[in-house]
């Protein structure tokens, strides 16, 4: 049974989430504050965490950082905060997804299934040497990409971007993080750099660059690699 930890201080929302999750055969634990959430996460080892940012005793971003100190459990933020900097802060801290309130239960469940599926079935976690898809082979040691049997020549910058994305498959990597990792802190606001290089990568790796299958854009937030 997949176990979900719901971290939320709104009793009505907690009740709705618990009912809907249990109806679909999830095991559910609920925490009304950050202290309880961290204790339950350590004790119960959930397969996913649904996390509200606005908790009575601590900010949700601090909970994300606390969990990321020892766990790679998928964290889906559920928040009424819609400002892009709030979303970026949560994602940079280590959240896997960000769902803005109000949301539909169907959308939440779909994103939850996707997050758990990536954890269960993704063989190429950090430390993996070879990433393969239907038509791509990415060798992280040799720094070599083969598409449909043909070598793909990448620049060092293109390779660096691709490497960051493929070693966290399915995870949204923020624009800020990519810019800082590849170009340094001083360039963290120059998103035009990123758009140019991502467009070049898509031309080289995607069958239809205008409808990418692997290098997915989350508008205004960042990019993810779907293997």
């Amino acid at each position: 049974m997949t176990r979900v930890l719901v971290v939320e201080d709104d009793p009505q929302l907690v009740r709705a989430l618990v009912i809907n999750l249990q109806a679909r055969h999830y095991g559910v634990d609920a925490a009304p504050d950050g202290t309880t959430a961290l204790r339950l996460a350590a004790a119960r080892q959930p397969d996913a965490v649904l996390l509200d940012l606005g908790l009575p005793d601590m900010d949700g971003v601090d909970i994300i950082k606390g969990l990321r100190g020892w766990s790679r459990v998928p964290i889906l933020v559920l928040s009424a905060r819609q400002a892009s900097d709030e979303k970026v802060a949560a994602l940079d801290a280590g959240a896997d997804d960000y769902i803005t309130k109000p949301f539909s239960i169907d959308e939440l469940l779909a994103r939850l299934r996707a997050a758990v599926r990536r954890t269960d079935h993704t063989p190429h976690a950090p430390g993996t040497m070879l990433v393969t898809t239907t038509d791509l082979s990415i060798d992280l040691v040799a720094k070599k990409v083969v598409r449909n049997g043909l070598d793909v020549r990448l620049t060092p910058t293109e390779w660096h971007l691709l490497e960051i994305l493929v070693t966290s498959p399915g995870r949204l990597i923020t624009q800020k993080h990519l810019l800082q990792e590849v170009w340094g802190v001083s360039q963290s606001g120059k998103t035009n750099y990123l758009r140019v290089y991502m467009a070049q990568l898509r031309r080289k790796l995607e069958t239809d660059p205008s409808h990418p299958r692997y290098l997915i854009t989350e508008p205004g937030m960042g990019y993810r690699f779907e293997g």
Side-chain angles (χ1 to χ4, degrees):
M1 177 184 289
T2 300
R3 180 157 294 279
V4 178
L5 173 59
V6 176
V7 187
E8 170 64 63
D9 64 340
D10 179 344
Q12 287 185 313
L13 180 54
V14 170
R15 184 171 181 274
L17 289 171
V18 170
I19 289 171
N20 278 278
L21 289 166
Q22 289 181 339
R24 291 160 177 83
H25 308 293
Y26 288 93
V28 187
D29 296 300
D33 55 54
T35 303
T36 307
L38 293 171
R39 177 177 57 79
L40 280 175
R44 303 288 282 173
Q45 299 286 312
D47 299 294
V49 176
L50 303 181
L51 173 66
D52 180 30
L53 294 182
L55 297 167
D57 61 338
M58 66 176 71
D59 191 81
V61 171
D62 293 326
I63 298 172
I64 296 169
K65 292 176 180 177
L67 289 171
R68 284 292 171 255
W70 59 273
S71 174
R72 298 307 306 164
V73 62
I75 301 172
L76 287 75
V77 170
L78 312 178
S79 180
R81 302 178 187 177
Q82 300 188 24
S84 60
D85 58 339
E86 299 269 16
K87 296 179 181 180
V88 168
L91 292 163
D92 276 342
D96 294 271
D97 207 344
Y98 195 108
I99 303 167
T100 303
K101 296 177 181 176
F103 52 82
S104 76
I105 288 293
D106 286 343
E107 178 189 3
L108 170 63
L109 291 169
R111 295 202 189 194
L112 175 60
R113 288 193 298 271
V116 172
R117 188 165 60 244
R118 287 195 295 267
T119 303
D120 288 345
H121 301 296
T122 300
H124 42 283
T128 298
M129 300 297 104
L130 184 66
V131 176
T132 57
T133 70
T134 305
D135 49 4
L136 290 177
S137 175
I138 304 168
D139 189 325
L140 296 172
V141 176
K143 297 192 174 183
K144 180 179 178 181
V145 180
V146 175
R147 177 173 170 242
N148 293 325
L150 300 175
D151 288 347
V152 178
R153 295 177 64 87
L154 298 182
T155 68
T157 299
E158 290 168 351
W159 173 260
H160 196 174
L161 279 172
L162 182 63
E163 185 177 37
I164 294 169
L165 291 165
V166 300
T167 52
S168 296
R171 172 105 178 266
L172 176 58
I173 309 297
T174 61
Q175 295 175 344
K176 178 182 176 184
H177 180 80
L178 288 168
L179 285 163
Q180 289 182 342
E181 286 292 314
V182 178
W183 287 279
V185 175
S186 64
Q187 307 298 329
S188 62
K190 298 189 176 180
T191 56
N192 57 309
Y193 285 15
L194 208 44
R195 285 195 297 272
V196 169
Y197 277 93
M198 290 301 296
Q200 290 175 188
L201 271 176
R202 285 187 176 124
R203 282 195 292 271
K204 294 181 178 182
L205 302 181
E206 300 279 5
T207 301
D208 182 358
S210 61
H211 297 89
R213 174 181 174 184
Y214 302 117
L215 301 170
I216 309 301
T217 301
E218 292 285 353
M221 296 169 69
Y223 300 88
R224 71 171 88 232
F225 177 81
E226 295 289 357

